């Protein structure tokens, strides 16, 4: 099948132990291949340390690969995620930008643990760190796993309803990268910037319009339409947004773990028609 067709089982969003997933890049490549994925990208949060391994593993399965990452930014007071695809993973400015974005996570984690201790949950920093395959990338997901282990909640979804989110114990506001910087790092490294799971944010229509307009003005070119985070109605809604803003459409499960993720690698509907798939714009960046 042609890699520029819109009927392609592309999965361009998932996480390994290099960020907050539970599988290695090699295990993910094997799982993607077994699930019938035809084009894959590993998109660890704020980190590209798994790219060489993912690329080599993809090649061993004959699975076409795009480099990937998911950058945390702050926009209008909220955390937003920008996926980068098809960039040069050796680009020094991209590497420095991601290193800087990861930088505040250690201190934030200590503050999260202090906030949890204030409601009687002890040892959360050490507990979360035990789950972090990459100590530079300690995230709320690792705290969520520890709170399940400690018997505070039954599953990680329950943790995010009761803890670690705005207004709840364990939440620490954080300033991430700017929209402009994240889009520039990706674009200047030859890649394509994509707004991740747009339906997940709590923006007013005006703020959402501003996000899409400014993203586009800074050189952003894609939006996730079919993702594990969207409902069927949201596929339609964001397909319309993609057309309105002249953005290409992406597709990805956001798979983190066989035990936690409800959408497996590649197990998503195809992109709706009359959209430009991001991989059509990235045809010369695909590693076969
Ligand atoms: P962080 O980058 O440390 O703020 O952690 C964010 C990560 O927490 C996301 O990438 C998800 O993996 C996870 N997460 C955030 N909100 C939820 C939620 N409501 N349910 C499950 N996982 C979540
Ligand atoms: Mn995550
Ligand atoms: Mn995300
Ligand atoms: Mn993700």
């Amino acid at each position: 099948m042609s890699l520029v067709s819109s009927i392609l089982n592309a999965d361009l969003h998932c996480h390994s132990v290099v960020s907050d997933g539970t599988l290695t890049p090699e295990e993910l490549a094997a799982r993607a291949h077994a699930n019938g994925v035809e084009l894959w990208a590993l998109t660890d949060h704020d980190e590209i340390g798994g790219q060489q391994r993912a690329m080599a593993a993809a090649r061993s399965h004959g699975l076409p690969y795009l480099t990937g990452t998911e950058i945390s930014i702050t926009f209008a007071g909220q955390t937003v995620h920008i996926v980068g695809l098809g960039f040069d993973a050796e680009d020094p400015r991209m590497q420095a930008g991601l290193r800087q974005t990861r930088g505040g996570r250690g201190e934030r984690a200590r503050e999260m643990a202090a906030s949890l201790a204030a409601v009687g949950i002890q040892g959360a920093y050490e507990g979360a760190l035990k789950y972090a395959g990459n100590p530079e990338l300690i995230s709320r997901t690792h705290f969520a796993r520890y709170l399940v282990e400690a018997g505070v909640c039954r599953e990680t979804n329950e943790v995010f309803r009761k803890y670690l989110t705005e207004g709840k114990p364990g939440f620490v506001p954080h300033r991430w990268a700017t929209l402009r910087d994240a889009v520039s790092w990706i674009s200047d490294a030859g890649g394509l910037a994509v707004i991740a799971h747009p339906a997940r944010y709590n923006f007013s229509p005006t703020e959402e319009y501003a996000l899409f307009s400014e993203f586009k003005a800074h050189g952003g070119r894609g939006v996730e339409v079919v993702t594990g985070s969207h409902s069927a109605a949201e596929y339609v809604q964001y397909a319309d947004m993609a057309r309105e803003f002249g953005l290409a459409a992406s597709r990805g499960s956001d798979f983190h773990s066989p035990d936690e993720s409800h959408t497996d690698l590649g197990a998503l509907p195809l992109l709706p028609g009359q959209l430009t798939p991001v991989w059509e714009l990235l045809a010369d960046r695909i590693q076969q």
Side-chain angles (χ1 to χ4, degrees), residues 13 15 45 70 81 196-197 200 254:
H13 189 152
H15 300 273
H45 296 285
E70 182 177 20
H81 288 167
H197 43 61
R200 278 252 300 266
D254 207 355

Side-chain angles (χ1 to χ4, degrees), residues 15 20-23 31 145 254-262:
H15 300 273
D20 60 348
T22 61
L23 301 185
R31 192 176 182 101
R145 291 186 186 133
D254 207 355
F255 181 78
H256 283 69
S257 164
D259 300 327
E260 295 165 13
S261 300
H262 54 84

Side-chain angles (χ1 to χ4, degrees), residues 63-124:
L63 172 59
Y65 186 77
L66 281 168
T67 53
T69 186
E70 182 177 20
I71 306 180
S72 314
I73 68 151
T74 303
F75 184 86
Q78 285 190 52
T79 299
V80 167
H81 288 167
I82 301 295
V83 163
L85 296 171
F87 50 84
D88 170 11
E90 303 301 321
D91 184 84
R93 269 184 300 178
M94 174 88 166
Q95 290 180 345
L98 293 179
R99 197 176 314 121
Q100 186 191 332
T101 307
R102 290 194 295 274
R105 281 184 177 269
E107 195 183 333
R108 169 187 185 239
R110 297 257 182 211
E111 290 174 26
M112 286 168 64
S115 165
L116 290 169
V119 296
I121 301 166
Q122 307 299 332

